[in-house]
Amino acid sequence: MALYNFDPTIIREYDIRGIIGETLSSADATAIGRAFGTIIRRAGGNKVAVGYDGRTSSPDLADALSQGLRASGVTVYGVGRGPTPMLYFAAYTLPVDGGIMITGSHNPGNHNGFKLVQNKQAFFGEQIKEIDRIAKSGDFEQGEGDYIEHPIFDAYIARLLEEVQFNQSGLKVIWDAGNGAAGEAMSSLTAKLPGQHELLFADIDGTFPNHHPDPTVPENLADLQRAIYENKADLGIAFDGDGDRIGLVDAEGEILWGDQIMLFLAKGVLKDLPGATIIADVKASQVLFNEVEKSGGKPVMWKTGHSHIKSKMIELNAPFAGEMSAHLFFADRYYGYDDALYAAVRVLNIIENEELSLAEFRKSLPKAVNTPEMRFECADTRKFSVVEEVAARLAEEKADVVSVDGVRVNTEDGWWLLRASNTQAVLVARCEASSEDGLKRLQKQLADQLLKSDVAIPN
C-alpha cells in the first residue's frame, strides 16, 4: 500500500494543525481520513461525523477528509459548517463511532487543522501519533463507505435553548463572534433568547476582517468594550474562531479572565451539587481553588490541555472543569465537552436567577496581582529537560511544589509556574502574588531558575 509522510510539525498533542499550502494540504486531509478510518474500523466502528469551520480552506479539506474516510470503509455523516461544539454534539447524539472537526481554531486565516473524537472521548497524544504511524506504513483498511448529508445545526440550537432557565429579561447583552464559526449559531440562539441582544461580526468570514477571534487577547475585545459603553449594556460575550472558548466583559468594560469565568460558573454548579469536584488547570489562580473550597466544592488542579481535562473529568466524575484559556466543560446537564455558546447560556442563567452582575462578582473576589502567561523560547528537544532540571533543584531546596504539569511553586508571596508547552517550542510561565513586591520576588525566583538552565530571558 502507498506510504504517506506528513510534515512533522502538524502532528500535535491535542490535534493536527498546519499552514495551508506550506505544511498542510488536501492530500494530508485524505491521508488523515484513511488513517483515522482505519483506527475506527479496527475498533469495530464504521461511522464518523465530519464538520468544518468558516475558513476558506475548510470545505476542500472536508471533502478530501471524507474521501479518505470512505476509502477506509467508513460512512461519513456530513454535519455541515458550524462551531466545533456542534461537531462534538453530533459525535454524542448521532449513531457514529467518532467525529472530526476541520478548524484552525483561533489561529490566523491561513492555518487549519483537525480536532478528533473517538467513542465520545478526546482523541489525543499517542492516538494522534498512531495516525502518523499508520500513514507512514501505508497500513490502511480498504472499503467503500457512504456519504450521508446530515445537517445538525437546528438540533444543536434546540439543545442550547433547553438550558435557558429564564422567561423574561431586562438584560442588554453584546455578542461578538469575531467572524468566526460560532456566528450563525450565535445569531440563531440570541434570536430566541429573552432580553436585548446586539451582535457584532456575526457573519462567518474566514479572513477575519474585523479582529482576530481570540477572546483571551485584550485588544481583540476592544470592539466589544466600545459597544458595551455605547449601548450601556450589562455585559459582553465573545467567542474564539471555532466557538469552544468564551470571553466575558462586564458592564464597566472590565475583562473577566478564564479562571474568573470558571469560578463564576463553578459557584453556580455548587449551589445545585454541593460538595462536587471542580477541576481547573495548573495555570489558574489560587483564588479559584480557595473560593471553590469555601463554596463547599472539592478543587482539583490538573494538567493544561482540553484533552487532559476531559479525561480527568470522566475519571473523577466531575460536573464542571475549565482552563485558564477559557475552555469550559460542563458534564452537569450537558455532555462534558467545551462549548462556549452553552457556557454563555449558563452565565445568563446565573445573572438572571441570582441577580448577580459580572461586575459585582469581579469586585467581590480577593485581590491578587499576577503576570500574563509568559513564553520563553526553548527547543522542543530541550524544553522538557529544563523543567526536569528545575524540579530537581527545587527538590534539593525542599520547596513546596505541585508537579501535576511542570512545576508550580508555592511560597509565602504566592506561586510561580513553569511548564513545557505541548504544542510549541516554548516554556510557559506565570506568577501570582498578594502584592506587587511579592510578585517581583516570584519573578526573580523564576528568572534565576531559567538562567541556571541557560534559558534566554528577553529584556
Side-chain angles (χ1 to χ4, degrees):
M1 298 182 191
L3 310 182
Y4 195 89
N5 288 307
F6 299 113
D7 185 297
T9 64
I10 75 171
I11 303 298
R12 309 295 184 99
E13 176 73 9
Y14 311 124
D15 54 23
I16 300 171
R17 182 158 32 99
I19 303 172
I20 297 298
E22 295 182 25
T23 61
L24 185 64
S25 66
S26 293
D28 293 325
T30 301
I32 290 164
R34 293 193 70 185
F36 187 69
T38 296
I39 291 168
I40 294 294
R41 288 280 309 280
R42 289 173 183 170
N46 62 2
K47 299 181 183 71
V48 171
V50 172
Y52 59 93
D53 72 8
R55 289 160 192 270
T56 57
S57 60
S58 292
D60 287 344
L61 289 180
D63 289 344
L65 175 76
S66 297
Q67 290 171 18
L69 288 164
R70 295 174 66 190
S72 68
V74 166
T75 292
V76 174
Y77 281 64
V79 302
R81 185 179 72 170
T84 291
M86 188 181 84
L87 181 277
Y88 293 157
F89 177 73
Y92 274 76
T93 60
L94 296 182
V96 296
D97 308 291
I100 303 179
M101 178 69 184
I102 293 127
T103 178
S105 188
H106 62 279
N107 291 302
N110 63 334
H111 290 231
N112 218 325
F114 307 83
K115 293 182 178 179
L116 305 100
V117 179
Q118 182 180 11
N119 295 327
K120 302 175 183 173
Q121 295 190 21
F123 188 94
F124 68 106
E126 289 300 317
Q127 294 169 304
I128 289 179
K129 291 178 183 176
E130 182 64 14
I131 287 178
D132 189 32
R133 286 192 285 267
I134 289 172
K136 283 178 177 174
S137 68
D139 184 22
F140 300 116
E141 291 291 318
Q142 304 292 318
E144 294 182 7
D146 292 331
Y147 183 88
I148 299 171
E149 198 78 43
H150 194 102
I152 202 167
F153 182 90
D154 291 341
Y156 171 62
I157 298 301
R159 178 63 185 86
L160 295 176
L161 289 166
E162 286 179 17
E163 193 57 46
V164 178
Q165 296 180 349
F166 53 97
N167 297 319
Q168 296 181 346
S169 174
L171 286 181
K172 183 179 287 188
V173 186
I174 313 294
W175 302 68
D176 182 357
N179 300 111
E184 289 176 359
M186 180 183 79
S187 298
S188 183
L189 173 65
T190 54
K192 299 175 178 69
L193 289 178
Q196 300 179 59
H197 303 278
E198 300 289 336
L199 308 187
L200 302 179
F201 316 130
D203 294 338
I204 296 177
D205 185 338
T207 66
F208 308 121
N210 292 290
H211 66 75
H212 196 61
D214 183 350
T216 63
V217 178
E219 48 262 40
N220 296 332
L221 297 174
D223 292 307
L224 186 60
Q225 291 167 315
R226 189 178 306 112
I228 290 170
Y229 176 76
E230 292 173 352
N231 290 274
K232 296 182 171 58
D234 296 289
L235 72 153
I237 301 173
F239 303 104
D240 76 332
D242 68 330
D244 59 7
R245 293 191 299 136
I246 190 172
L248 291 181
V249 178
D250 68 25
E252 298 177 4
E254 294 293 328
I255 299 167
L256 275 75
W257 302 110
D259 47 8
Q260 294 174 321
I261 302 170
M262 247 188 284
L263 180 57
F264 184 79
L265 290 163
K267 284 176 176 281
V269 171
L270 290 169
K271 284 184 183 296
D272 295 332
L273 299 172
T277 297
I278 305 293
I279 302 170
D281 77 323
V282 72
K283 292 190 285 187
S285 170
Q286 190 61 40
V287 170
L288 180 146
F289 298 102
N290 294 346
E291 290 295 308
V292 165
E293 193 165 17
K294 286 181 186 177
S295 299
K298 298 174 184 173
V300 172
M301 187 183 296
W302 195 237
K303 297 176 183 178
T304 292
H306 64 90
S307 301
H308 293 303
I309 296 285
K310 289 175 187 174
S311 299
K312 197 66 173 177
M313 285 183 77
I314 294 169
E315 177 190 335
L316 298 181
N317 194 30
F320 179 67
E323 291 187 272
M324 188 68 197
S325 59
H327 285 283
L328 304 171
F329 311 85
F330 281 96
D332 171 43
R333 307 200 299 266
Y334 207 53
Y335 304 97
Y337 55 73
D338 37 344
D339 184 338
L341 286 153
Y342 180 82
V345 173
R346 295 286 292 246
V347 167
L348 295 178
N349 283 343
I350 294 172
I351 292 171
E352 287 286 355
N353 296 322
E354 299 185 21
E355 297 183 350
L356 175 67
S357 75
L358 289 180
E360 289 168 341
F361 167 76
R362 174 179 54 80
K363 292 174 183 177
S364 74
L365 296 177
K367 301 303 178 190
V369 290
N370 44 48
T371 66
E373 187 173 290
M374 300 176 286
R375 292 171 176 264
F376 303 95
E377 291 184 7
C378 189
D380 282 326
T381 54
R382 174 78 177 123
K383 61 188 181 183
F384 290 103
S385 298
V386 169
V387 176
E388 290 172 2
E389 292 167 12
V390 172
R393 288 193 293 267
L394 292 168
E396 290 178 3
E397 298 167 8
K398 295 184 169 49
D400 179 2
V401 176
V402 177
S403 55
V404 297
D405 184 4
V407 291
R408 177 164 162 152
V409 186
N410 298 309
T411 79
E412 291 180 356
D413 289 314
W415 59 271
W416 60 269
L417 168 73
L418 182 69
R419 58 180 292 274
S421 169
N422 286 312
T423 58
Q424 295 176 290
V426 298
L427 293 164
V428 178
R430 191 169 185 237
C431 306
E432 179 179 85
S434 56
S435 69
E436 292 290 350
D437 287 343
L439 188 66
K440 290 176 183 176
R441 286 190 288 271
L442 293 174
Q443 290 176 292
K444 185 177 186 306
Q445 291 171 28
L446 168 64
D448 288 346
Q449 290 290 348
L450 290 172
L451 290 172
K452 287 177 182 176
S453 290
D454 297 321
V455 175
I457 300 175
N459 293 327

